[in-house]
Amino acid sequence: MPGRIRAEDVASVKERSSIEDVVRDHVTLRPAGVGSMKGLCPFHDEKTPSFTVRPTVGSYHCFGCGEGGDVISFVQKVEHLTFTEAVERLAAKVGMELRYEEGGGPREGGTSLGKRSRLIEAHRTAEEYYTGLLLDRTRADARTGRDFLRERGFDGAAVERFGVGFAPGDGDALTRHLLQRGFTDDELVTGGLSGRGSRGLYDRFRGRLVWPIRDTTGDTVGFGARRLFDDDRIAAKYLNTSETPIYKKSTVLYGLDLAKKAIRDDRRAVVVEGYNDVMAAHLSGVEGAVATCGTAFGVDHIKILRRIMRDEADQAPAKVVFTFDGDKAGQAAAMKAFGQDQRWVAQSFVAVAPDGMDPCELRLAKGDAAVAALVDDAVPMFEFAVRTTIRRFDLETAEGRVQAMKAVAPIIGSIRDTSLRPEYTRTVSGWLGLEVEQLADAVRIAPKLTLPEEHDRRPSGTDEVPEPAPGDAPAMPAPDLRDPVVAAERQLLQAVIQHPSQFSEAVLDGLVPEALTAPAHRAVLDGIRIAMASGARTASTAAWVSAVGEAAPVPVKGLVAELSVAPLPVRYDVSTGLPPRRYLDSLVVGVRDAHLGRQIADAMATLRRVQNDPDAPQDALRERTTSLHALELERVRLRQEATS
């Protein structure tokens, strides 16, 4: 087993990894105030963005589900990795070689490559091998693959652009190639590149054209393979990598690594049915095209695209276009997609070529412009669903018209925008040949279409350090932000965590935990004071936030992450990019003034008790009076300083 990664290397990986760039591989971010970005949360389903990133701080926090942390924890949670795997993945991205504590690591010098990184590297090597074989003109067996692509309008440049390759028919050609490069039997089997039989390892893909399936970051995690030869013992036209530690077909879309920029820029995604269709669409200028990998388009695919295309309720509607074959299977797929339509904020459309051709066939027959026009001329999903449903009935008979009406009424009743229902009711009644009122009555009593149940599959982060058991640290009540004093405390803690250089040591020393009313806020202030004592205040903002988070008690570590990214309710100074000085001073004064007010109230209550106690000594009365007077003078001085 490899040893722990050296602490200084972990810190270096965090410092060199841009949390904004890492998050953008999964979520499209937009400005949300000075120094903040926001987008749709990758950890829960939402229609209005509550996921906030502060690049200068190196932190993220979702105000919807509460997930938060730094760049390492983000990679852990979004990609289901251990702490070590997340650090190794980030290190690989920035070209940094990690060092491990003594006693671990298969390489000399204590360096190592984690399990996931090894599987990714094996797939990268396999892709390179497959593509090299396809492009090798001396390989007669690969000619069938080249002919297949050429017949569909794809040349060598397209092969290189999409990484298409050829898996030789030899039983173990790839396996031997990878073993020679240092990969182990277990790695090849675990990664789905090889199978294990009675005679040893064998290649999973043999005598087939292969497409690399990549995740959103561009790493190859699996392959899709197309049958080429009649003597292929596997009859299935397409084979895909089985699910592995790095590949889950329900969370991967073919071509997304190439399409995400266009999807982000245009706020339009085009969902096609196969690898060839993705290639044809991209080469025709429709660069936002993606496809599923051997599975139906589902809820997880929707979530991925929504985050990238900024499918947000407070923005102009994004657009998702589905292209389907014109046959019954294509119509069934379209209706299934319509069943998920309520999960989008985006407007959904369907594009079906009049003659039923898919994008690849259409490009061959009519050129690139025809593919682009097919997508541009897509009809609303609702219209396609209604027309497909009506087509099943004989509208020449009264019975057929009534049956069709009952079938389409739930569809009309499920339109998200209720203001559109009357207009669609009028339109569809014309298609059916019925009175508007008759269809409107049917819509009113029709059952609503319901979404299929979805189990919560939010990832749970893992780490080398076990999470504390529920009883290890007492929970703290959430601060009641309806209380203006508590709200002011929160803003002060936000400002200190986000802009420590704007507060002198004297000011921070003057803030004591008992000055805050919320227990959680006092715990955060304890972390601030400990971090300040360590000298972290003079380090970078990200290092300061990290130090505060490490010093804070376990129950409020999440609150520290939240405060590090939460926007302050004030307009920042354009020239400095900082909150106004007067605002920051007012926060300190406000919290101190409220604390003095509570102390004065306590002192007055004590004085009244002493005054009403006949047995109390006179010096006790004098002492309480003097203490109260000193507090009142201090409050006067504080207010005078604030107004001077």
Side-chain angles (χ1 to χ4, degrees):
M1 291 290 291
R4 288 177 179 270
I5 302 170
R6 292 188 182 180
E8 58 266 32
D9 283 5
V10 173
S12 182
V13 167
K14 282 178 62 175
E15 183 179 346
R16 293 168 62 177
S17 298
S18 165
I19 191 169
E20 180 180 352
D21 291 344
V22 171
V23 170
R24 280 189 186 278
D25 279 333
H26 305 273
V27 180
T28 294
L29 300 171
R30 57 186 172 96
V34 177
S36 293
M37 313 288 289
K38 70 177 179 179
L40 294 174
C41 180
F43 305 119
H44 82 290
D45 206 14
E46 61 179 358
K47 295 189 175 180
T48 301
S50 58
F51 183 82
T52 303
V53 176
R54 285 184 64 86
T56 57
V57 175
S59 298
Y60 70 93
H61 183 81
C62 177
F63 293 89
C65 68
E67 290 282 9
D70 58 20
V71 66
I72 295 175
S73 65
F74 178 83
V75 173
Q76 274 188 265
K77 293 168 185 172
V78 81
E79 298 192 24
H80 304 191
L81 304 180
T82 65
F83 177 82
T84 296
E85 289 171 334
V87 175
E88 289 172 339
R89 180 162 175 75
L90 289 169
K93 290 293 184 183
V94 299
M96 177 179 167
E97 188 171 20
L98 297 172
R99 296 168 297 170
Y100 293 74
E101 301 293 350
E102 270 187 46
R107 293 186 180 180
E108 293 182 3
T111 60
S112 175
L113 198 59
K115 176 181 177 181
R116 188 182 193 282
S117 298
R118 292 280 298 176
L119 296 181
I120 291 292
E121 180 62 16
H123 278 76
R124 187 199 65 76
T125 306
E127 178 186 341
E128 187 179 76
Y129 175 74
Y130 285 148
T131 303
L133 291 184
L134 181 63
L135 294 174
D136 185 354
R137 298 288 177 176
T138 67
R139 294 280 308 210
D141 54 349
R143 180 174 179 176
T144 304
R146 293 193 295 271
D147 291 344
F148 176 93
L149 293 170
R150 191 180 302 109
E151 290 168 2
R152 287 157 179 76
F154 304 129
D155 57 14
V159 166
E160 293 183 348
R161 176 174 175 179
F162 294 94
V164 189
F166 174 73
D170 311 31
D172 61 352
L174 175 68
T175 299
R176 285 185 281 106
H177 178 78
L178 294 175
L179 291 174
Q180 289 170 3
R181 277 152 181 76
F183 296 100
T184 66
D185 292 14
D186 287 343
E187 287 171 339
L188 301 188
V189 173
T190 300
L193 296 168
S194 302
R196 198 189 302 273
S198 58
R199 298 182 180 180
L201 299 187
Y202 61 89
D203 293 350
R204 292 298 300 270
F205 304 118
R206 287 161 285 171
R208 290 189 171 231
L209 201 61
V210 291
W211 285 262
I213 300 170
R214 300 171 182 140
D215 63 17
T216 57
T217 69
D219 285 335
T220 298
V221 294
F223 292 95
R226 210 273 187 193
R227 192 173 192 263
L228 291 175
F229 302 104
D230 293 337
D231 61 354
D232 191 330
R233 288 183 296 176
I234 300 177
K237 182 184 289 187
Y238 282 95
L239 290 176
N240 290 284
T241 296
S242 302
E243 295 205 351
T244 71
I246 62 172
Y247 174 71
K248 185 179 180 182
K249 60 186 178 183
S250 65
T251 60
V252 175
L253 286 165
Y254 175 72
L256 185 57
D257 58 309
L258 300 174
K260 66 182 179 183
K261 183 180 186 303
I263 294 173
R264 178 181 298 129
D265 294 345
D266 301 338
R267 298 190 65 223
R268 184 185 77 172
V270 180
V271 182
V272 299
E273 291 197 305
Y275 307 125
N276 291 321
D277 293 335
V278 169
M279 294 173 66
H282 279 250
L283 295 172
S284 299
V286 183
E287 296 185 342
V290 296
T292 59
C293 303
T295 186
F297 188 82
V299 175
D300 288 330
H301 298 124
I302 292 174
K303 292 178 179 179
I304 292 168
L305 289 180
R306 289 193 63 232
R307 294 195 298 267
I308 293 175
M309 69 196 300
R310 287 193 292 117
D311 184 28
E312 304 166 6
D314 58 351
Q315 299 286 298
K319 187 174 182 179
V320 57
V321 180
F322 294 89
T323 67
F324 296 107
D325 293 342
D327 57 15
K328 289 184 179 180
Q331 292 178 7
M335 293 304 294
K336 185 171 183 178
F338 179 76
Q340 301 285 359
D341 191 55
Q342 299 296 319
R343 299 191 188 277
W344 301 92
V345 175
Q347 296 174 338
S348 302
F349 295 81
V350 175
V352 178
D355 45 8
M357 291 188 290
D358 60 35
C360 184
E361 294 167 338
L362 185 62
R363 177 172 177 260
L364 273 177
K366 300 183 179 180
D368 294 347
V371 177
L374 171 69
V375 174
D376 291 339
D377 296 339
V379 300
M381 175 75 79
F382 159 79
E383 179 179 333
F384 181 85
V386 170
R387 289 190 180 278
T388 299
T389 301
I390 290 174
R391 199 174 294 127
R392 304 200 313 262
F393 302 95
D394 181 5
L395 300 184
E396 297 299 319
T397 67
E399 292 81 0
R401 289 192 294 273
V402 171
Q403 290 172 348
M405 177 186 70
K406 292 179 178 179
V408 300
I411 299 176
I412 299 173
S414 299
I415 296 173
R416 290 194 304 264
D417 189 343
T418 56
S419 65
L420 292 176
R421 289 179 192 170
E423 182 60 33
Y424 279 128
T425 300
R426 282 191 291 273
T427 300
V428 176
S429 66
W431 295 346
L432 293 172
L434 298 173
E435 294 294 332
V436 175
E437 292 76 13
Q438 187 179 0
L439 180 57
D441 289 341
V443 171
R444 274 193 293 272
I445 64 175
K448 297 293 185 292
L449 296 178
T450 56
L451 291 173
E453 290 186 8
E454 178 195 4
H455 299 290
D456 184 12
R457 292 190 296 271
R458 281 180 52 196
S460 57
T462 55
D463 200 320
E464 291 178 335
V465 180
E467 290 293 325
D472 288 350
M476 291 189 180
D480 184 2
L481 299 182
R482 294 172 298 181
D483 185 334
V485 173
V486 176
E489 295 172 3
R490 174 186 168 91
Q491 290 182 43
L492 177 58
L493 292 175
Q494 284 177 248
V496 171
I497 291 174
Q498 295 176 20
H499 308 285
S501 63
Q502 298 304 298
F503 297 89
S504 67
E505 286 192 24
V507 168
L508 295 178
D509 284 337
L511 288 175
V512 291
E514 54 266 27
L516 307 181
T517 58
H521 287 170
R522 291 198 292 269
V524 171
L525 184 56
D526 281 335
I528 289 173
R529 291 170 66 83
I530 293 171
M532 187 175 65
S534 70
R537 192 177 72 91
T538 58
S540 67
T541 305
W544 162 252
V545 171
S546 179
V548 173
E550 291 174 4
V554 170
V556 296
K557 288 185 183 296
L559 180 57
V560 171
E562 178 181 340
L563 295 174
S564 72
V565 299
L568 289 165
V570 65
R571 188 183 298 276
Y572 280 58
D573 189 311
V574 177
S575 61
T576 64
L578 296 169
R581 180 76 262 163
R582 182 180 294 276
Y583 167 73
L584 298 177
D585 291 342
S586 71
L587 293 178
V588 176
V589 170
V591 168
R592 290 182 58 192
D593 185 80
H595 182 217
L596 284 169
R598 293 192 297 274
Q599 289 179 299
I600 290 171
D602 291 343
M604 290 181 65
T606 301
L607 180 60
R608 282 194 293 270
R609 287 196 298 273
V610 171
Q611 287 173 333
N612 290 291
D613 182 1
D615 298 326
Q618 286 299 309
D619 56 348
L621 180 61
R622 231 179 357 260
E623 181 182 338
R624 297 295 185 274
T625 302
T626 301
S627 176
L628 174 62
H629 184 59
L631 289 170
E632 290 174 333
L633 286 177
E634 185 177 352
R635 195 179 197 187
V636 169
R637 283 196 300 270
L638 178 66
R639 292 178 172 180
Q640 288 175 341
E641 291 174 3
T643 56
S644 61

